[in-house]
Amino acid sequence: MDKLQVVGGKRLEGEIVISGAKNAALPILCAGLLTSGDLELSNVPRLHDVKTILKLLAQTGLTVSQDDERVTLNGSAITMLEAPYELVKTMRASILVLGPLLARFGEAKVSLPGGCAIGSRPVDQHIKGLRALGAEITIEGGYIYAKCKKLKGARIRTDMITVTGTENLLMAATLAEGETVLENAAREPEVTDLANLLVAMGAKIEGIGTDRLVIQGVAELHGAKHAVISDRIEAATFLCAVAATGGDILLKNTRTDYFDVALDKLREIGLVMTMGPASIRAQMGGRPKPVSFRTTEYPGFPTDMQAQFMAVNTIASGASRITETIFENRFMHVQEMNRLGASIQTEGNTAHVKGVDRLVGAPVMATDLRASASLVIAAMAAQGTTIIDRIYHLDRGYDRMEVKLSAVGANIVRIK
Ligand code: EPU
């Protein structure tokens, strides 16, 4: 199992090119199931999760051709309407094949994802929404069996805001008969990117970017070309890294109009940012100031940035309070950061962080994707050497993070 060795205390300086967004690429690749035409995608990130979804899609009979960050899909010969447990258990986003398969073929068998490191993460809202569209759904032997003659438009209000739930229902509704209204829809930029692709494929969607999506079903969708948006979470992760270590970096291939409150919090920390048309220059000198926040849905503070900001707070010039409201178990990085000398105490879903003068390197273990990124940041800010174990989590969602960071001066190597 690969590990990362990080020697802390290096200033970051130089340019980093941001990759395509994982959480936009995964649903967009699944949209290939909705048409017999060619879907030509660019800016697809090189990630383990993308490999997993492509493997799953190929098993259905979807033709996949890949040339680095370009992927072309063709869904004219799909024969297997199934997502097996072996793949779903490694990646929950596999549930995103359910809506498209059911809408286009009237049938799907998808393994029920189990709980995961950050929470129980049920998919009841996906199922509730598909039932409202007329699907007959049974759950047996750990699988969701879904069937319908033709999905029929409906008004659906999910009990909570769910990102992949919105995406699954949106994809299903594009091929349903009549009008579907999705209320309480997620507004994340990744949902918007999927909606824009679906429109390019011939879908009729109004309210894109709002919490009320109105979809007029069409008989079929056609092929399209689309560039996946760049990854705001990857970009913000590197901004946290420079906030923690000090330095001057230029992020390229990013956007400036789709960030959430995380950017304001970075300014509060003391990071100076200059926005270009598709770039952000970030400069940091001195010790970070502490920032308190609670995670909420977009455009609130993203849960996917909670751990990385906590890493910055560990060495800030004061105390901060972080409340996690999206997932019930997303504080597993706390114990690992405390091993590096941080002073964090949790109380229910709130973490109280007291900034310390210095962290000191130690062996630590990555527990999930964003926790891994937070440990890389903490290790880069710490004195001495940190070994981070179980970095396969990191490879699921960051495109060669250690390569990008060492190119800007970090002392970080992968140990095979
Ligand atoms: N929820 C339910 N029932 C459902 C769906 C969701 O109870 O049917 C609950 C969840 O348990 C959670 C909350 O609703 O407490 C929100 O979950 P959501 O469905 O929005 O999460 P997701 O769609 O499974 C996506 C991202 C996550 C990101 C969350 C929140 C993808 C592939 N994954 O997950 O990304 O944290 O939205 O923004 O888009 C990551 O990239 O590290 C990651 C975990």
Side-chain angles (χ1 to χ4, degrees):
M1 223 182 279
D2 291 5
K3 298 176 185 182
L4 283 180
Q5 176 185 291
V6 183
V7 182
K10 308 280 183 243
R11 240 175 85 87
L12 300 183
E13 209 156 311
E15 292 180 5
I16 298 179
V17 179
I18 301 302
S19 300
K22 167 178 87 78
N23 290 347
L26 296 175
I28 280 173
L29 290 164
C30 293
L33 295 169
L34 287 166
T35 175
S36 60
D38 277 353
L39 214 53
E40 292 177 48
L41 304 171
S42 55
N43 205 34
V44 178
R46 286 168 287 194
L47 304 174
H48 203 268
D49 272 6
V50 166
K51 272 194 199 148
T52 308
I53 204 90
L54 287 176
K55 191 166 161 193
L56 172 58
L57 293 172
Q59 279 189 9
T60 66
L62 194 89
T63 315
V64 177
S65 51
Q66 192 170 13
D67 174 13
D68 199 20
E69 297 187 0
R70 289 180 178 275
V71 176
T72 302
L73 304 174
N74 181 280
S76 57
I78 289 167
T79 49
M80 203 185 82
L81 309 174
E82 190 179 331
Y85 176 64
E86 289 64 44
L87 288 174
V88 179
K89 75 173 181 202
T90 66
M91 193 185 64
R92 302 178 49 84
S94 313
I95 189 76
L96 286 164
V97 302
L98 179 60
L101 284 178
L102 182 64
R104 182 159 161 228
F105 301 100
E107 205 180 318
K109 175 185 172 190
V110 176
S111 170
L112 205 54
C116 80
I118 61 177
S120 62
R121 304 181 75 184
V123 291
D124 56 306
Q125 299 301 308
H126 303 232
I127 293 170
K128 168 181 142 171
L130 292 172
R131 280 191 174 135
L133 293 173
E136 274 175 40
I137 298 185
T138 50
I139 294 170
E140 220 179 284
Y143 275 84
I144 304 168
Y145 292 85
K147 261 192 170 175
C148 66
K149 280 215 176 70
K150 180 88 186 147
L151 292 177
K152 294 216 164 42
R155 180 182 156 270
I156 303 166
R157 186 177 176 85
T158 45
D159 298 351
M160 78 287 295
I161 299 174
T162 152
V163 174
T164 50
T166 301
E167 292 164 345
N168 233 340
L169 298 175
L170 174 63
M171 288 191 278
T174 59
L175 292 180
E177 249 169 41
E179 180 177 279
T180 300
V181 181
L182 293 181
E183 290 177 351
N184 208 22
R187 289 184 287 160
E188 269 67 4
E190 295 75 22
V191 178
T192 296
D193 202 33
L194 169 69
N196 287 337
L197 163 80
L198 293 169
V199 168
M201 294 169 73
K204 295 206 164 71
I205 307 169
E206 277 171 30
I208 294 176
T210 74
D211 62 358
R212 188 171 185 274
L213 296 169
V214 181
I215 304 110
Q216 307 294 338
V218 293
E220 56 179 25
L221 296 175
H222 49 73
K225 283 187 186 179
H226 184 80
V228 175
I229 48 164
S230 74
D231 198 320
R232 67 192 163 104
I233 304 296
E234 188 197 17
T237 299
F238 289 130
L239 293 174
C240 281
V242 77
T245 61
D248 185 348
I249 62 170
L250 182 71
L251 302 183
K252 289 175 128 177
N253 186 36
T254 185
R255 278 171 50 168
T256 51
D257 60 336
Y258 70 160
F259 279 95
D260 34 61
V261 301
L263 278 198
D264 301 330
K265 290 288 167 189
L266 282 161
R267 283 194 192 94
E268 245 184 81
I269 283 174
L271 191 73
V272 177
M273 285 178 283
T274 317
M275 305 299 178
S279 66
I280 301 177
R281 180 174 178 195
Q283 294 163 290
M284 181 79 185
R287 192 170 177 185
K289 294 189 187 69
V291 286
S292 296
F293 57 87
R294 31 184 318 123
T295 61
T296 54
E297 297 85 1
Y298 187 84
F301 192 98
T303 175
D304 290 346
M305 284 306 301
Q306 178 254 109
Q308 301 89 314
F309 270 77
M310 191 182 291
V312 184
N313 273 334
T314 62
I315 50 158
S317 56
S320 56
R321 208 167 78 156
I322 297 175
T323 304
E324 170 60 53
T325 74
I326 306 292
F327 292 112
E328 65 272 24
N329 193 27
R330 214 174 195 182
F331 276 155
M332 287 194 306
H333 39 282
V334 166
Q335 291 312 321
E336 302 303 304
M337 287 184 193
N338 283 344
R339 290 179 51 72
L340 297 172
S343 171
I344 312 167
Q345 280 190 330
T346 54
E347 195 188 341
N349 67 344
T350 297
H352 300 273
V353 187
K354 270 193 212 143
V356 294
D357 291 339
R358 57 178 202 146
L359 299 176
V360 179
V364 290
M365 196 143 70
T367 46
D368 70 78
L369 169 57
R370 307 302 170 186
S372 316
S374 75
L375 293 176
V376 171
I377 294 170
M380 289 197 304
Q383 284 176 4
T385 305
T386 297
I387 305 284
I388 308 173
D389 203 351
R390 301 207 178 160
I391 55 148
Y392 57 85
H393 292 292
L394 197 70
D395 296 332
R396 288 186 55 182
Y398 287 91
D399 182 359
R400 300 158 303 141
M401 186 189 241
E402 79 282 8
V403 176
K404 292 188 182 188
L405 284 171
S406 34
V408 293
N411 185 336
I412 172 168
V413 286
R414 182 178 290 253
I415 307 170
K416 291 273 176 195

